[in-house]
Every structure is written in structure tokens, then in C-alpha cells.
């Protein structure tokens, strides 16, 4: 898979944290039009919330929820593979950024990596999801 640049960048609001690397967002398409999308973080993978990795998966989910609670003014940068728009689970691949209350912009992916709740993920590797 070759992803070279963002396809679209939108202001967004969190609807729901599904798990550590999957989220439901409302994205602002402009002119008072909002659309609900399910997105998966591009380039990182978090443990599953079922099976042997359940505890680590739930911890990653809680860490993502904390990050969203501390960050407002969300921006979602959608990316896609050359031949399809969503992954096998019909999620859009995305990077998510937010501004904290001190005014600093941060990447959710980088935060999850730094707090050891995620690992780098190459798109040609299976996710186990």
C-alpha cells in the first residue's frame, strides 16, 4: 500500500472511542454539513480488547479517552489506499490531531506510541482485528 499525502483534512468532534485505534467522529464538511465516520489510526496498532490482550486493549482505550478529554479543536486527516477508500472493516484511515487547553497541538498516534499503548504498524501486516 502506498499512501503519499492526505486526501482530506477536516475539523472533527469525537462521537465515541471504539477501541484504542478506532473512533467514531463527526467531521465538518463545511456549510453546516456534518458527517459521521468511523476511522482507524494510520500507522499504529493497539492491543485488542478481546482475548489474551484484553487488559492492554482496555488500557489503550482508556488512554485514548483521556487524550480526547484533554484535547479540543480536533482535526482529522483522512488518507486512502490508491484503489480503495476504506479498510476491510469499512473504516477510513486517518491521523488525528488536537489542541490541548494550553494551546499545544498534539498527535493522538504519537501520544499512544509515547505512552506504550500502541506500536508502529505497517499496512501490509495483519492487525488481528
Amino acid at each position: 500500500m502506498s499512501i503519499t499525502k492526505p486526501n482530506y483534512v477536516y475539523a472533527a468532534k469525537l462521537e465515541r472511542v471504539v477501541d484504542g485505534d478506532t473512533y467514531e467522529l463527526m467531521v465538518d464538511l463545511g456549510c453546516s454539513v456534518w458527517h459521521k465516520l468511523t476511522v482507524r489510526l494510520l500507522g499504529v496498532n493497539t492491543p485488542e480488547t478481546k482475548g489474551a490482550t484484553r487488559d492492554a486493549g482496555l488500557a489503550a482505550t482508556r488512554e485514548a479517552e483521556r487524550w480526547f478529554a484533554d484535547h479540543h479543536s480536533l482535526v482529522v486527516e483522512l488518507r486512502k489506499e490508491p484503489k480503495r477508500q476504506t479498510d476491510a472493516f469499512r473504516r477510513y484511515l486517518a491521523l488525528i490531531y488536537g489542541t490541548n487547553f494550553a494551546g499545544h497541538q498534539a498527535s493522538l498516534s504519537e501520544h499512544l506510541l509515547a505512552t506504550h499503548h500502541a506500536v508502529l504498524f505497517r499496512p501490509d501486516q495483519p492487525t488481528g482485528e
Side-chain angles (χ1 to χ4, degrees), residues 11-32:
K13 293 180 183 177
L14 177 69
E15 284 286 301
R16 179 171 82 103
V17 174
V18 176
D19 63 23
D21 55 26
T22 304
Y23 314 98
E24 291 178 356
L25 301 174
M26 291 298 291
V27 296
D28 183 357
L29 302 177
C31 299
S32 300

Side-chain angles (χ1 to χ4, degrees), residues 28-95:
D28 183 357
L29 302 177
C31 299
S32 300
V33 176
W34 290 80
H35 184 73
K36 186 176 183 177
L37 293 179
T38 301
V39 302
R40 185 200 190 286
L41 285 179
L42 179 68
V44 299
N45 195 32
T46 61
E48 298 306 313
T49 57
K50 296 181 172 119
T53 61
R54 179 176 169 75
D55 290 341
L58 293 173
T61 301
R62 286 190 301 272
E63 188 63 30
E65 290 169 340
R66 276 192 291 275
W67 186 90
F68 280 109
D70 291 341
H71 292 81
H72 62 287
S73 301
L74 299 178
V75 174
V76 61
E77 187 177 297
L78 298 180
R79 309 243 182 156
K80 70 175 187 174
E81 296 182 42
K83 294 188 180 189
R84 54 177 211 208
Q85 198 164 347
T86 59
D87 72 357
F89 297 93
R90 300 180 61 142
R91 300 171 297 188
Y92 288 81
L93 300 176
L95 298 172

